[in-house]
């Protein structure tokens, strides 16, 4: 148990147990950190002795993430540091306490849900901890998300300690690389490490006297005699530089040199990216069910990756065109989209395509209509079978890297990577478990609608099977001091009556890496960049924003000279668009300073086929009626193409407006960086990625959707200050632009992604990073747990 925590409880036993009795008196079985804190503040207000609520007691409550209560027992889940947990149970009558293990804590929670005491009874437990005991792990919370840096340091040292084995594997790795039967890097003239070192020196001597711009056609024959093939560089200068790096590594491997060298090895030619659910296309898909930012992310990612792959191959002297295939679902009844086309070229690329493969029912019939992301699970294994055949046929070989997206894409990536023995990267975008309160404990109540049993099981399998995981922010992995990360929420949880997880994923596993996406620089750029502005769109924008009501619009901006608060997102509960409208409606000061422009969902509820969206649309109308917003709020049920949305950001910035992103939780926030780099001061939720994207008061502002009055006050104070200080709006605008340029571009993303794929592939080959035992365990978990759940679900779908 945390020593300081124990010391404090022992010293202030009466105060602590008095507070615990107060918690019990709230009459709730479960209390989250915010509930506990609110109760603590109420307890302090009611206490006659104002010295009772000490800073130490406040710290203890801040560290407590959850309470499970059944008088006289109260169990607390305390998080002394990020990704470090302690579970303590208190008996308030006896005034005793003790530390308990994860199993006991979860079993107590199960009992509160079902009314059955599970303590000591047999329940299926998932514990992946024993498989990873000897695996190299990070130690410090601040290092989480920097997995590749850790591996390079740790395993470079390992190579030094066991030089014979390490160097031999290094040689085998260099001889491994081929492209369509053409040998790269090393040929059969080098059969031993001694020969490699000897011929490296000869090659270095030879290249050092050649013209620096001499290509392979000039120096190639001589290098081939020395055992070197194409792939070292496009000029003699680059070839020499690459050879020098290898010499340094063989002499004494340094982590940064290892990474630089691996970044040059031609080993990624073909990439497969998986995104099965929703409507994946290049036009008319945004706003369709289950279709949003992930599509934009992947398309921008593909363009950046293809450019980076081509540049790296060219720099290594190879005239090879990279291939990227985005695999998604074919939807025959595709409405007004292209999702019924088996193959579609991706605009802005040379050789990237969208490959669509249908879902099939048990009897092999193609599913004609869209299927919700919560109901795809029965179809994914058959989908994977067909994807494997289609991809290999399209490429003529297996891919070199497989990237999964979201829970369903990551599961397919797992199955496909294991069959093809290919490096696997996972990208969650968002893990549903973090979105829905107590979605694990009350999974059975939500099973008909959300099928969390399949989804959480798939998540556990894929995140543990992946070779590396890309996250957009640190918070996505391990949260903040006062909140749990998305991945961290999978470390220990229970689904009563199904199974409990006592060690599901380890935040200190070096597979986690933070690689933030960017905004398309051709579309989203500062409003001050007049030469690139698309002024031809201004007439269309003015008509959209300033015209009266219509079929897809409600409200108008009576005073069109006011600056605009702009928000744009899907119309669902998590995005909290209706929450922003209510803040605005309630805050007279904010309404006095600015108008509100909302682009979300449909204005006509009959146009929506999604139940949650329908509820939000109805609520939106109710709020506009309640606060009489039709003269100050413009609501558009339209979906803008990227060019129009980019110029709209800048058009609003010209008028000293702002962007608001009020989500209850946002995994990253692409619209946040789009708005910031366009010049709009941005107010965004501090739950999720925007907390890391924005530096509060410098490059934007954080707002808390749980405290609407405070959030509205932050926004109204900004507009008031802008009216008093003409430079303030520009100061925040410039801060946002500079922040994005420094940290959030697709060029930076693609460079990092390509380096990571090589580094993880290398270490997997030359060391003992293979997770065969874990993989076998996960295969069993898939067959005995996931597959029956998915099969049973298909009967109901």
């Amino acid at each position: 148990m945390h020593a300081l925590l124990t010391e404090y409880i022992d010293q202030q036993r009466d105060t602590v147990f008095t507070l615990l009795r107060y918690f019990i008196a709230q009459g709730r079985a479960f209390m989250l950190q915010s509930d506990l804190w609110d109760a603590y503040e109420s307890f302090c207000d009611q206490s006659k002795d104002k010295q009772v609520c000490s800073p130490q007691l406040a710290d203890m409550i801040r560290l407590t993430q959850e309470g499970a209560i059944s008088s006289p027992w109260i169990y607390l889940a305390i998080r002394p540091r990020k990704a470090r947990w302690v579970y303590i149970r208190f008996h308030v009558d006896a005034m005793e306490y003790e530390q308990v293990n994860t199993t006991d804590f979860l079993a107590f929670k199960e009992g509160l849900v079902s009314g059955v005491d599970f303590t000591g009874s047999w329940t299926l437990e998932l514990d992946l901890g024993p498989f990873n005991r000897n695996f190299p792990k990070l130690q410090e919370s601040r290092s989480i998300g920097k997995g590749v840096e850790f591996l390079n340091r740790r395993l470079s040292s390992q190579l030094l300690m066991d030089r014979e084995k390490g160097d031999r594997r290094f040689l085998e790795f260099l001889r491994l690389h081929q492209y369509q039967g053409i040998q790269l890097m090393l040929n059969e003239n080098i059969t031993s490490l001694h020969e490699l070192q000897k011929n490296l020196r000869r090659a270095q001597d030879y290249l050092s006297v050649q013209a620096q711009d001499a290509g392979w056609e000039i120096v190639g024959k001589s290098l081939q005699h020395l055992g070197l093939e194409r792939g070292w560089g496009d000029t003699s200068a680059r070839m020499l530089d690459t050879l020098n790096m290898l010499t340094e590594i063989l002499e004494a491997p340094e982590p940064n040199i290892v990474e630089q060298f691996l970044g040059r090895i031609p080993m990624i030619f073909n990439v497969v990216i998986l995104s099965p659910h929703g409507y994946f296309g290049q036009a008319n898909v945004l706003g369709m069910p289950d279709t949003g930012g992930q599509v934009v992310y992947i398309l921008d990612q593909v363009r950046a990756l293809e450019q980076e792959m081509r540049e790296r191959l060219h720099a290594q002297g190879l005239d090879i065109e990279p291939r990227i295939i985005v695999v998604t679902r074919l939807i025959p009844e595709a409405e007004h989209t292209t999702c019924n086309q088996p193959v579609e070229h991706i605009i802005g690329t040379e050789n990237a395509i969208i490959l669509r493969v249908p879902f099939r029912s048990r009897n092999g019939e193609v599913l004609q209509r869209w299927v919700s992301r919560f109901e795809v699970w029965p179809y994914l294994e058959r989908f994977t079978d067909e994807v494997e055949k289609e991809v290999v046929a399209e490429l003529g070989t297996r891919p070199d890297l497989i990237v999964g997206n979201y829970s369903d894409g990551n599961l397919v990536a797992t199955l496909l990577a294991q069959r093809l023995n290919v490096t696997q990267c996972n990208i969650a975008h968002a893990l549903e478990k973090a979105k829905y309160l107590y979605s694990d404990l009350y999974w059975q109540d939500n099973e008909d609608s959300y099928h969390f049993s399949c989804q959480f099981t798939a998540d556990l399998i894929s995140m543990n099977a992946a070779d590396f995981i890309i996250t957009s922010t640190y918070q996505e992995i391990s949260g903040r001091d006062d909140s749990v990360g998305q991945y961290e929420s999978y470390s220990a949880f229970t689904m009563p009556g199904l199974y409990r997880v006592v060690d599901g994923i380890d935040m200190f596993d070096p597979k986690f890496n933070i690689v933030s996406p960017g905004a398309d620089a051709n579309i989203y750029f500062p409003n001050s960049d007049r030469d690139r502005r698309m002024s031809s769109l201004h007439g269309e924008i003015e008509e959209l924003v300033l015209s009266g009501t219509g079929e897809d619009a409600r409200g108008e901006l009576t005073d069109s000279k006011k600056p605009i608060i702009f928000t744009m997102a899907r119309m669902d509960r998590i995005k909290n668009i209706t929450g922003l409208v209510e803040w605005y409606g309630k805050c007279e000061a904010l309404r006095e300073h600015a108008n509100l422009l909302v682009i979300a969902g449909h204005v006509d509820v009959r146009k929506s086929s999604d139940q949650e969206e329908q509820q939000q649309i109805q609520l939106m109308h109710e709020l506009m009626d309640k606060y009489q917003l039709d003269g100050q709020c413009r609501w558009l049920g339209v979906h803008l193409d990227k060019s129009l949305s980019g110029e709209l950001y800048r058009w609003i910035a010209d008028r000293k407006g702002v962007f608001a992103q009020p989500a209850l939780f946002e995994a990253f926030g692409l619209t946040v960086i789009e708005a910031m780099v366009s010049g709009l001061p941005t107010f965004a939720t501090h739950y999720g990625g925007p907390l890391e994207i924005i530096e509060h008061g410098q490059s934007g502002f954080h707002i808390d959707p749980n405290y609407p009055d405070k959030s509205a006050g932050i926004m109204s104070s900004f507009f008031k200050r802008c009216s008093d200080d003409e430079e303030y709006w520009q100061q925040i605008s410039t801060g946002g632009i500079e922040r994005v340029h420094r940290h959030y571009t697709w060029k930076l993303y693609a460079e990092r992604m390509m380096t990571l794929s090589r580094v993880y592939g290398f270490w997997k080959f030359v060391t003992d990073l293979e997770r065969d035992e874990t993989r076998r365990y996960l295969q069993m978990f898939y067959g005995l747990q996931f597959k029956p759940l998915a099969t049973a679900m298909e009967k109901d779908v």
Side-chain angles (χ1 to χ4, degrees):
M1 191 184 301
H2 197 269
L4 293 177
L5 187 62
T6 304
E7 181 181 351
Y8 176 75
I9 295 173
D10 289 338
Q11 290 176 352
Q12 304 293 328
R13 184 178 294 266
D14 288 346
T15 300
V16 170
F17 278 91
T18 300
L19 175 59
L20 294 177
R21 291 188 190 97
Y22 188 80
F23 287 161
I24 291 175
Q26 305 306 304
R28 301 175 62 175
F30 299 104
M31 297 178 73
L32 295 176
Q33 199 278 335
S34 57
D35 303 321
L36 293 166
W37 183 257
D38 289 343
Y40 164 76
E41 289 189 318
S42 176
F43 170 78
C44 292
D45 290 341
Q46 295 178 28
S47 176
K48 295 179 181 179
D49 183 359
K50 297 304 179 185
Q51 302 301 314
V52 165
C53 294
S54 63
Q56 293 89 343
L57 184 59
D59 287 342
M60 174 180 164
I61 301 306
R62 285 194 185 95
L63 295 174
T64 303
Q65 297 297 317
E66 183 181 7
I69 305 168
S70 178
S71 183
W73 294 103
I74 178 168
Y75 285 55
L76 298 183
I78 300 175
R79 188 170 171 259
R81 288 182 292 158
K82 294 169 186 168
R84 305 287 192 189
W85 292 81
V86 175
Y87 303 102
I88 305 177
R89 70 174 178 182
F90 299 82
H91 194 290
V92 295
D93 291 345
M95 293 184 65
E96 297 292 339
Y97 71 95
E98 65 176 336
Q99 183 173 345
V100 297
N101 59 31
T102 308
T103 293
D104 289 341
F105 176 72
L106 296 176
F108 184 73
K109 290 172 65 176
E110 293 163 8
L112 294 181
V113 171
S114 63
V116 177
D117 184 4
F118 284 93
T119 305
S121 63
W122 189 90
T123 298
L124 175 62
E125 285 192 350
L126 183 72
D127 184 0
L128 288 158
F131 296 103
N132 298 316
R133 281 178 183 154
N134 298 320
F135 204 83
K137 291 182 184 178
L138 305 158
Q139 297 298 318
E140 299 296 329
S141 298
R142 65 177 179 270
S143 298
I144 292 172
K146 301 175 182 177
V148 77
E149 289 93 333
F150 168 80
L151 279 183
N152 285 338
R153 290 194 304 271
R154 180 70 174 267
L155 298 180
S156 293
S157 299
Q158 187 174 316
L159 284 180
L160 275 173
M161 293 171 62
D162 190 354
R163 293 302 303 271
E164 183 177 351
K165 177 183 176 183
D167 289 346
R168 185 178 67 252
R169 294 294 284 164
F170 213 120
L171 175 60
E172 292 169 358
F173 178 76
L174 291 175
R175 298 185 61 182
L176 182 70
H177 304 294
Q178 295 183 346
Y179 178 76
Q180 294 184 352
I182 300 172
Q183 185 65 38
L184 304 175
M185 304 302 288
L186 298 182
N187 60 38
E188 68 280 359
N189 289 339
I190 293 180
T191 59
S192 68
L193 182 64
H194 174 71
E195 282 184 325
L196 174 62
Q197 293 173 318
K198 180 181 66 175
N199 286 4
L200 279 178
R201 289 191 291 270
R202 291 177 177 176
Q204 289 166 312
D205 291 341
Y206 170 71
L207 289 172
S208 65
V209 297
Q210 302 301 309
Q212 289 196 347
D213 60 352
W216 184 261
E217 67 280 358
I218 296 173
V219 302
K221 184 172 287 188
S222 297
L223 292 179
Q224 282 179 321
H225 286 306
L226 296 174
L228 305 184
E229 292 289 344
R230 291 179 184 270
W232 295 94
D234 61 334
T235 65
S236 63
R238 186 172 178 89
M239 294 177 207
L240 180 59
D241 189 44
T242 307
L243 291 172
N244 290 339
M245 288 182 186
L246 179 55
T247 300
E248 288 188 47
I249 293 170
L250 294 175
E251 179 68 26
E254 293 185 10
N256 61 325
I257 300 298
V258 169
E259 183 170 312
Q260 289 180 44
F261 176 74
L262 293 176
R264 295 189 178 190
I265 292 183
M267 53 189 288
I268 307 294
F269 310 104
N270 302 304
V271 176
V272 168
I273 298 173
L274 291 150
S275 181
H277 76 265
Y279 289 80
F280 196 102
Q282 301 179 84
N284 303 322
V285 298
L286 297 183
M288 298 290 283
D290 289 344
T291 309
Q294 181 174 319
V295 173
V296 177
Y297 178 110
I298 293 173
L299 290 173
D300 286 345
Q301 174 199 50
V302 166
R303 296 182 184 101
L305 286 179
E306 187 192 62
Q307 181 65 25
E308 180 67 19
M309 291 167 68
R310 181 177 292 109
E311 289 177 1
R312 291 200 185 201
L313 290 171
H314 176 76
Q316 293 313 110
L318 299 175
D319 186 19
I320 296 173
E321 278 297 317
R323 296 284 310 276
I324 301 179
I325 300 178
V326 177
V327 179
T328 188
R329 183 200 161 193
L330 181 79
I331 307 174
E333 296 183 12
E335 299 192 28
H336 52 284
T337 75
T338 58
C339 296
N340 56 356
Q341 296 181 12
V343 178
E344 182 180 352
H345 172 73
I346 295 178
I347 297 168
T349 70
E350 295 293 329
N351 293 300
I353 62 170
I354 301 170
L355 176 65
R356 297 188 177 94
V357 176
F359 285 171
R360 294 184 185 274
S361 64
R362 279 185 177 186
N363 59 13
E365 293 181 358
V366 172
L367 270 64
Q368 299 295 310
R369 298 183 179 181
W370 163 83
V371 175
S372 163
R373 71 184 189 276
F374 297 114
E375 297 179 339
V376 299
W377 309 109
Y379 310 108
L380 294 183
E381 187 173 315
R382 287 187 291 274
F383 177 77
T384 304
D385 294 339
E386 199 162 340
V387 166
E388 180 181 5
K389 298 171 186 174
E390 294 278 354
V391 164
V392 172
E394 181 68 34
L395 295 176
T397 184
R398 67 180 185 177
D400 305 299
L401 174 68
I402 294 175
V403 182
N405 291 271
Y406 190 69
S407 300
D408 49 13
N410 287 330
L411 183 65
V412 175
T414 298
L415 299 175
L416 195 60
Q418 289 179 0
R419 293 181 186 185
L420 298 175
N421 192 27
V422 173
T423 301
Q424 174 192 351
C425 168
N426 283 3
I427 304 174
H429 295 279
L431 292 165
E432 298 292 340
K433 187 172 177 295
K435 291 183 180 181
Y436 297 86
L437 189 61
Y438 298 124
S439 54
D440 50 357
L441 280 177
Y442 295 99
W443 68 275
Q444 294 186 72
D445 296 343
N446 297 306
E447 191 68 358
D448 289 343
S449 299
Y450 297 114
H451 302 284
F452 286 142
S453 63
C454 281
Q455 182 143 21
F456 297 170
T457 304
D459 286 336
L460 285 167
I461 292 169
S462 61
M463 64 179 61
N464 279 286
D467 293 299
F468 67 103
I469 295 173
I470 293 298
T471 72
S472 298
T473 63
Y474 179 98
Q475 286 186 80
E476 191 177 337
I477 310 169
S478 292
R480 308 178 305 177
D481 289 336
D482 60 350
S483 64
V484 179
Q486 289 189 65
Y487 280 97
E488 189 179 4
S489 72
Y490 281 78
S491 60
F493 68 95
T494 182
M495 290 189 284
L498 189 62
Y499 60 83
R500 71 172 69 110
V501 178
V502 297
D503 193 341
I505 185 70
D506 189 346
M507 303 306 100
F508 296 91
D509 192 308
K511 69 171 57 183
F512 288 103
N513 292 273
I514 301 167
V515 186
S516 300
D520 187 338
N522 294 316
I523 300 296
Y524 304 103
F525 52 84
N527 66 314
S528 58
D529 193 347
R530 297 292 171 184
D531 292 340
R532 300 173 65 194
R533 292 288 298 270
M534 292 171 267
S535 56
S536 60
L537 298 175
H538 288 190
E540 184 177 352
I541 289 172
E542 290 177 3
E543 185 175 350
L544 270 174
V545 177
L546 302 177
S547 295
T549 58
E551 182 180 355
D552 295 312
R554 176 174 175 177
E556 58 184 323
L557 307 182
T558 304
D559 185 353
S560 60
K561 294 181 180 179
K562 284 184 181 180
I564 291 172
I565 302 167
F566 175 40
T567 190
M568 179 168 59
R570 295 192 311 274
M571 185 67 87
D572 61 27
R573 185 186 65 83
I574 293 295
K575 294 299 184 182
N576 197 35
I577 297 298
T578 52
L580 173 63
V581 172
E582 187 158 23
W583 308 349
Y584 178 80
K586 285 182 176 180
C587 185
E588 290 296 333
L590 193 54
R591 293 175 66 170
E592 180 182 342
H593 285 301
N595 292 316
L596 178 62
L597 173 63
V598 175
I599 299 182
H602 299 279
V603 176
D604 186 347
V605 70
R606 294 170 298 182
K607 291 186 176 181
S608 174
S609 58
D610 183 273
Q611 184 177 358
E612 185 173 302
E613 184 182 54
Q614 291 170 352
Q615 294 170 350
Q616 291 295 303
I617 292 170
Q618 291 170 345
L619 178 57
M620 184 77 171
H621 284 293
E622 292 170 8
L623 291 171
M624 291 191 70
D625 291 338
K626 178 179 179 179
Y627 295 106
Q628 299 179 354
L629 296 179
D630 284 296
Q632 294 178 289
C633 176
R634 175 79 164 161
W635 174 22
L636 299 173
V638 297
H639 303 288
L640 309 180
D641 63 44
K642 289 176 64 176
S643 297
L644 189 60
S645 67
E647 192 60 32
L648 176 59
Y649 284 128
R650 291 184 288 271
W651 185 88
I652 293 171
D654 291 340
R655 288 152 180 78
K656 306 301 180 185
V658 303
F659 183 77
Q661 207 275 30
L664 301 176
F665 177 83
E666 182 61 57
F668 179 65
L670 276 175
T671 56
V672 170
I673 60 172
E674 290 170 359
M676 288 170 66
V677 79
S678 300
L680 279 176
T682 299
F683 297 76
T685 180
H686 71 181
Y687 293 109
L691 184 68
E692 294 178 36
I693 297 172
I694 291 173
E695 302 162 298
H696 186 74
Q698 298 179 50
S699 54
F701 301 90
H702 302 141
I703 52 177
D704 189 339
N706 294 322
Y707 295 92
D709 293 342
K710 183 178 179 181
S711 298
I714 292 172
M715 296 175 75
S716 61
S717 295
F718 170 80
F719 282 112
K720 184 178 186 306
R721 182 168 174 181
C722 288
S723 64
D724 297 335
D725 179 1
E726 294 183 0
E727 300 299 319
Y728 187 59
W729 185 96
Q730 190 60 53
Q731 175 186 326
I732 301 299
S733 171
T734 301
I737 293 168
E738 292 177 349
R739 176 76 174 166
V740 173
H741 284 165
R742 284 196 305 269
H743 299 284
Y744 303 102
T745 71
W746 281 114
K747 175 65 175 173
L748 292 172
Y749 177 100
E751 289 174 352
R752 198 67 188 142
M753 183 75 161
M754 284 295 97
T755 297
L756 288 173
S757 61
R758 288 163 168 80
V759 171
Y760 278 92
F762 167 74
W763 287 125
K764 184 177 177 180
F765 182 86
V766 302
T767 68
D768 298 322
L769 283 192
E770 277 289 353
R771 306 182 191 230
D772 290 336
E773 295 86 355
T774 305
R775 186 169 293 113
R776 297 300 293 172
Y777 184 77
L778 294 172
Q779 287 171 347
M780 181 177 65
F781 191 54
Y782 175 89
L784 298 180
Q785 188 66 72
F786 175 82
K787 198 163 183 176
L789 289 170
T791 301
M793 181 182 157
E794 186 171 12
K795 298 175 183 177
D796 301 328
V797 173

